[in-house]
Amino acid sequence: MAGEGPGHLAIIMDGNGRWAKDRGLPRALGHRAGVEALRRVVELCPAYQIRYLTVYAFSTENWKRPGAEVQALMALMDEFIDKELATLKKNGVSIRVLGDLASLASGLRKKIEAAVESTAENREMILSLALNYGGRQELLRGAKALAKRAQAGEDPEGWGEEDLARELYTGDMPDPDLLIRTGGEQRYSNFLLWQVAYTELWYTDTYWPDFGEERLVEALTAYRGRQRRFGGV
Ligand code: FPP
């Protein structure tokens, strides 16, 4: 494959429910197949020089889903850490979380925090899980942090974009170069609103559980064929 990048790939993993419905299966099994797809993509990243992978695992709006589905998603995250942590560590993957873990059950929260802590020094790849994440909530949180700094005496006139950027969950991570959304919808759904300012978008009708190397290469080829001008000429 010709060309460079994306160094940072973000994904909205949509279509798990419809994938399950098409097969007459409960939605939870669609999410389980979705975790398998995520595992596949994490493993593919190094071969395509993708150093940052950021996925939308659970939004602040997803609490509105039926209790059983929320439970199933939480159980899958728990299982993912149990099953994958050793391999992720071995492969030098650092796990980060974007979002507010406070509303998660304390057992799961502690397990996720321990996984983040024990992989913090890894540098081969950064896997960010957006968990109980909302883009507007993230911006509001950043604005509040800046307001506190102003209250403490800093002069807002001296701030630039990087000051707000640093108060976001993504901190000093580079912005995504490419955002893939599976499942046919063409919207952001409150994902990384600040960070996608100059991100290239790529949509596919493929449901997330069916996403694999073929679709990934299609997306990367499209990305590498585009000219990114960042507002210039
Ligand atoms: C959207 O599909 C998908 C989600 C709301 C959850 C995505 C989560 C995973 C793939 C598992 C995450 C697990 C880990 C370990 C990070 P949908 O349910 O909205 O599908 P539909 O639009 O077809 O109903």
Side-chain angles (χ1 to χ4, degrees), residues 13-19 27 30-31 34-35 38 55-58 62 65 69 73 76-77 80-81 129 131 185 207-208:
M13 311 180 287
D14 200 9
N16 296 343
R18 282 164 286 164
W19 181 93
R27 292 176 60 85
H31 294 310
V35 176
L38 175 60
V55 296
Y56 209 177
F58 194 87
N62 285 153
R65 295 192 175 206
E69 184 172 345
L73 279 163
L76 281 170
M77 287 178 220
F80 178 78
I81 305 251
L129 306 174
L131 263 182
E185 311 291 348
Y207 295 145
W208 175 247

Side-chain angles (χ1 to χ4, degrees), residues 73-217:
L73 279 163
M74 297 296 162
L76 281 170
M77 287 178 220
D78 201 290
E79 190 181 321
F80 178 78
I81 305 251
D82 282 346
K83 283 194 178 158
E84 300 301 326
L85 186 59
T87 309
L88 293 170
K89 279 184 179 166
K90 182 165 66 72
N91 295 333
V93 179
S94 171
I95 301 172
R96 293 188 192 171
V97 171
L98 315 180
D100 181 10
L101 292 183
S103 344
L104 267 56
S106 73
L108 177 57
R109 191 185 70 235
K110 285 181 189 146
K111 189 177 283 193
I112 294 171
E113 285 168 349
V116 169
E117 206 169 306
S118 68
T119 61
E121 303 304 321
N122 291 352
R123 284 293 171 269
E124 288 303 311
M125 187 180 155
I126 315 295
L127 171 62
S128 300
L129 306 174
L131 263 182
N132 193 23
Y133 172 88
R136 288 186 172 181
Q137 184 271 338
E138 177 185 42
L139 282 163
L140 178 61
R141 180 177 170 273
K144 286 180 182 173
L146 288 182
K148 286 210 175 103
R149 279 166 47 181
Q151 271 179 341
E154 273 186 53
D155 181 3
E157 282 306 321
W159 295 339
E161 291 181 3
E162 63 283 3
D163 287 273
L164 178 51
R166 267 197 297 270
E167 300 292 353
L168 303 181
Y169 293 120
T170 38
D172 52 12
M173 231 188 263
D175 289 337
D177 300 295
L178 173 66
L179 171 63
I180 293 177
R181 180 165 187 151
T182 61
E185 311 291 348
Q186 303 191 2
R187 53 176 169 260
Y188 292 108
S189 299
N190 205 13
F191 190 42
L192 302 176
L193 295 182
W194 169 276
Q195 296 88 340
V196 296
Y198 290 103
T199 299
E200 296 290 328
L201 306 177
W202 192 82
Y203 306 98
T204 174
D205 287 336
T206 299
Y207 295 145
W208 175 247
D210 288 327
F211 192 93
E213 188 160 20
E214 203 179 324
R215 281 296 154 281
L216 179 67
V217 167

